[in-house]
Amino acid sequence: MAHHQLGELDEKILKLIIGNARMPFLEVARECNVSGAAIHQRIQKLTNLGVIKGSEFIVDNTKVGYETCAYMGLYLKTPGQFPSVTEALKQIPEVVECHYTTGQYDLFIKIYAKNNQHLLNIIHNKLQPLGLARTETLISFKEAFKRQIPIEIDYED
Amino acid sequence: MAHHQLGELDEKILKLIIGNARMPFLEVARECNVSGAAIHQRIQKLTNLGVIKGSEFIVDNTKVGYETCAYMGLYLKTPGQFPSVTEALKQIPEVVECHYTTGQYDLFIKIYAKNNQHLLNIIHNKLQPLGLARTETLISFKEAFKRQIPIEIDYED
DNA sequence: TGTGAAAAGACTGAAAG
DNA sequence: CTTTCAGTCTTTTCACA
């Protein structure tokens, strides 16, 4: 498996920092009973391995003017459209996630818009010109909760 | 609107830090041509206002053993189930997002599982006992991209 | 709100067990 | 893989504009 390089210390570090990217590494070190340099080097390693892909501040979308959150399922006309449509979606900043999916849809995306009218504008002016076969829209009117993946590493060695 | 307290400096700060929670505030200060203390106070203010809700490290799900990512639409039997089902979903760590939605479904959730079998186990053992009317599952077999909401504040005052 | 200064604390890399 | 150490940079607070 892809995560065979990770040990208990890595797991403990990830659990501590995954939900708080501003936690000082020295504090992590104290929690783990190792030196600060050890944490520094482990996090470096986790970053080099691609386990850690970056960090983010979590911003309340409604407080920066995005009242509408929607998911959309997209049907392509032909599978050949995958690369061009994905590239075009990347050019639309309001599209914040894009997945290739099995079953129902070909692509599944998440969009933030200022309001419902803005969402309609995005659909009409930016999505429809892409030449999709069909789309389906699902509007989230409240995010009940959102959190991180649970870190529970199996040591299969 | 909810974001009327935010000014140009707040916008600039948010744009700089939203995609890198480890950026030193002094570096933000230099980019913005203000003192470090000013950035410190602004970020404090943004946190107090709830604009900033926290920070996270972005971890590659496949590298910590979660190969399967799925979205599920849930139909309730009665609207009265909303609170209890939401609460029950919160007890399932693999459910990382939960939205109240209009139209098609009542609830819409995002799940990470170790593999497809594990996803089936979660559905059978944890979701079906909740007494839902029906569910629909959508499996993402590749996340083409994922990014942050664009920060573009209107100054309507 | 913003600033500068000062103390405390954190980061980072080198060298060594 | 871990530690200690040293130099440098950051965070945080506070008095003041």
Side-chain angles (χ1 to χ4, degrees), chain A residues 67-68 113-125 139:
Chain A
E67 309 266 349
T68 299
K114 294 184 196 277
N115 47 51
N116 290 351
Q117 183 56 51
H118 183 211
L119 176 62
L120 281 179
N121 290 346
I122 294 169
I123 295 173
H124 283 141
N125 305 331
I139 291 180

Side-chain angles (χ1 to χ4, degrees), chain A residues 23-37:
Chain A
M23 185 174 192
F25 295 169
L26 269 182
E27 201 176 325
V28 178
R30 287 187 290 264
E31 295 272 341
C32 297
N33 293 111
V34 294
S35 70

